[in-house]
Amino acid sequence: MCGASRDRFVTPEQADRRSRVVSTPVADRVSRLHSEPNLGSWCFRIETDQGPLRVNCPCAFDTTLKPVDAIFFTHKDFLRASRRYREH
């Protein structure tokens, strides 16, 4: 879709080996979850009165992230990562 060649992308396994997910507070009850090094994902964890949720999913898979009750997506590119979190 973006026009980049296949060699510009990393596999999920490659991302897991070289990345970790970092949480950065951005507002009261809202944190941005992003990969270090940055893999270009925009993900947020929001603490609501009904429970925690995410908007999108980090590209990197990190088993230390706390689970959430729901994930909302801004576009389909985050679906693969979310399946891995759901299975975990």
Side-chain angles (χ1 to χ4, degrees), residues 51-83:
L53 63 88
R54 280 192 202 136
V55 176
N56 296 322
C57 222
C59 291
F61 182 68
D62 189 331
T63 59
T64 65
L65 289 182
K66 295 177 184 175
V68 294
D69 296 329
I71 301 174
F72 297 89
F73 298 97
T74 58
H75 56 291
K76 65 177 177 49
D77 295 346
F78 295 98
L79 292 174
R80 185 175 196 172
S82 72
R83 279 191 224 113

Side-chain angles (χ1 to χ4, degrees), residues 2 7 19 28 33 41 47 63 67 75-76:
C2 68
D7 66 324
S19 300
D28 185 39
L33 303 175
S41 68
E47 302 294 333
T63 59
H75 56 291
K76 65 177 177 49

Side-chain angles (χ1 to χ4, degrees), residues 10-42:
V10 297
T11 66
E13 295 77 22
Q14 289 170 323
D16 292 348
R17 285 193 298 274
R18 62 187 224 195
S19 300
R20 65 186 178 95
V21 178
V22 176
S23 178
T24 305
V26 294
D28 185 39
R29 299 170 52 159
V30 178
S31 297
R32 177 176 175 232
L33 303 175
H34 55 97
S35 303
E36 293 262 330
N38 188 349
L39 297 176
S41 68
W42 285 89

